[in-house]
Amino acid sequence: MTVSLLWIPATLAAAAAQTGRNATQRQLTKTIGTVGATQVRFLYGFPFALLALGLVRLVLGEPVPLPNAGFLAYVLGGATTQILATALMLSAMRERSLSVVTAYTKTEPVQVALFGLIILGDPLTPGMAIAIVIATLGVVLMSLKRGADLASSGLRPVIYGISSGAFFALAAIGFRGAILALPEGSSVMRSTTTLVWGLGTQTAILLAWMGIFDRKALMSSFRAWRPSLGAGFLGALASQFWFIGFALTTAANVRTLALVEVLMAQAVAHRLLSQVTTRRELAGMALILVGVGLLLVSQH
C-alpha cells in the first residue's frame, strides 16, 4: 500500500476507536449526565494527546511545528464548530428519537464534500460525489425505524439535526485546514500537533463554560475520573487517526469511509444487545458498502 492510501486503515482504526468511545460515553451518561459525559472526551483526552506528541517527537526525531496565524484560526474554527455540532445534536435528540436525529446528522459527508471544495479547494470528482450520496442514503435508511416520520415533530428538529451535520462537517474542514497550514513536518507530526491544539482549545472552552453554567456536571466528571480516562483515551486515539486521515486525503474521503462506524455499531448492538437486524437495516448496510466501495475505486 502506498503512503497516499494509508488514510484507509487510519480511518478504519479511527472508526473502531470511536465506536468504543461512544459505548463508554453512553455508560457515563447514567452517572454524570449528558453534558458531563460529552466533555470527558476533551478533558481526559488532552493528556493522552500530549503524551502522543511526546512519543512522536521522540520516535521521529522531528521538531514540533510552530503555529502560525492560519493554523490557529483553523484550529479555533474546528474546535468551536465541533462543540456547537455536539450541542445541536443533543438539542435535536431532545426533540426527536435518536434514529431520526442520526439520519439528519449523517448528512455530514455530503456537507463535508461541499465545504471542502469551497473552503480548501479539495477535489470532488463525479465518482466521489456519487459514492458519498449512496453511502449517506444507506445511513439514513438504516437510521429510520419502522413507522418513523422525519417531519412529524415540525421544523425545529430538522434544523437542529442538519445544522449539527453542517457544524461537524465544518469541524472536519477546520482541522484538515489546520494540518495543511503547518509549514513543516511529516503527516503524523502535523496531525498530532493539531490534535494537541484542538483538544487543548476545546478543554479550555468547556471548562470555562461548565465552571460558569454547569458546575455540578463538571464536579461529577472529576469524581468519575476512572471510567472517564477510558473514554478520554479512546477519544484521543480516534481523533489521532482521524487527523492522520485528514493529513493524507480530503475530509470528504475520510468522513465517507467513516460511515462504516454505523456498521460497527450495528454489529456491537447485535452481539451485545441481541438486537435483530431488519430488512431495512440490511438494505442500508448494502448501500453503505456500495458507496464505500465506489469511493475506494474512485481513488485509483
Side-chain angles (χ1 to χ4, degrees):
M1 180 179 292
T2 63
V3 172
S4 62
L5 293 180
L6 286 177
W7 68 271
I8 297 173
T11 301
L12 294 175
Q18 184 155 301
T19 301
R21 188 210 71 200
N22 289 343
T24 305
Q25 280 187 298
R26 193 173 297 116
Q27 294 298 318
L28 284 170
T29 57
K30 300 175 182 178
T31 56
I32 62 177
T34 302
V35 177
T38 299
Q39 66 90 30
V40 298
R41 63 176 291 194
F42 307 118
L43 176 64
Y44 289 95
F46 183 51
F48 290 109
L50 288 173
L51 178 60
L53 183 59
L55 290 174
V56 170
R57 172 72 178 86
L58 181 65
V59 172
L60 299 183
E62 298 180 26
V64 177
L66 296 176
N68 52 46
F71 171 82
L72 294 175
Y74 275 122
V75 164
L76 182 60
T80 53
T81 51
Q82 190 174 50
I83 292 172
L84 289 171
T86 303
L88 284 167
M89 180 179 68
L90 295 175
S91 297
M93 286 178 180
R94 285 195 292 267
E95 299 281 341
R96 289 294 276 124
S97 68
L98 173 62
S99 61
V100 174
V101 171
T102 300
Y104 290 133
T105 57
K106 288 303 181 182
T107 59
E108 177 199 350
V110 175
Q111 301 188 70
V112 166
L114 294 175
F115 288 137
L117 178 64
I118 295 170
I119 298 173
L120 300 178
D122 283 340
L124 179 61
T125 66
M128 288 172 59
I130 293 171
I132 291 168
V133 170
I134 291 175
T136 302
L137 287 176
V139 175
V140 172
L141 186 61
M142 275 192 69
S143 301
L144 296 179
K145 307 303 179 185
R146 182 181 296 275
D149 185 353
L150 287 173
S152 62
S153 293
L155 192 59
R156 187 158 57 181
V158 177
I159 294 174
Y160 285 168
I162 294 178
S163 296
S164 174
F167 279 116
F168 276 126
L170 286 170
I173 297 303
F175 289 131
R176 171 164 161 77
I179 293 168
L180 297 178
L182 288 175
E184 58 186 12
S186 64
S187 298
V188 175
M189 175 57 79
R190 288 183 289 115
S191 60
T192 308
T193 301
T194 303
L195 175 63
V196 168
W197 279 88
L199 284 179
T201 301
Q202 290 167 320
T203 298
I205 291 172
L206 285 171
L207 281 176
W209 189 89
M210 294 181 70
I212 297 171
F213 298 106
D214 200 347
R215 195 168 300 174
K216 181 179 179 181
L218 179 61
M219 299 310 297
S220 296
S221 68
F222 288 151
R223 285 191 292 270
W225 65 271
R226 289 182 186 275
S228 296
L229 278 175
F233 169 74
L234 289 171
L237 182 64
S239 295
Q240 175 74 78
F241 284 115
W242 289 135
F243 285 18
I244 290 174
F246 291 156
L248 296 173
T249 189
T250 66
N253 283 342
V254 172
R255 297 310 295 166
T256 301
L257 180 57
L259 293 178
V260 299
E261 178 195 345
V262 177
L263 304 184
M264 294 178 183
Q266 181 71 15
V268 170
H270 181 77
R271 176 78 174 176
L272 300 181
L273 305 178
S274 300
Q275 292 184 359
V276 177
T277 303
T278 66
R279 291 181 180 178
R280 180 191 294 270
E281 289 168 338
L282 288 173
M285 291 179 191
L287 284 175
I288 293 173
L289 292 174
V290 169
V292 167
L294 288 175
L295 177 72
L296 298 180
V297 169
S298 71
Q299 303 304 305
H300 297 286

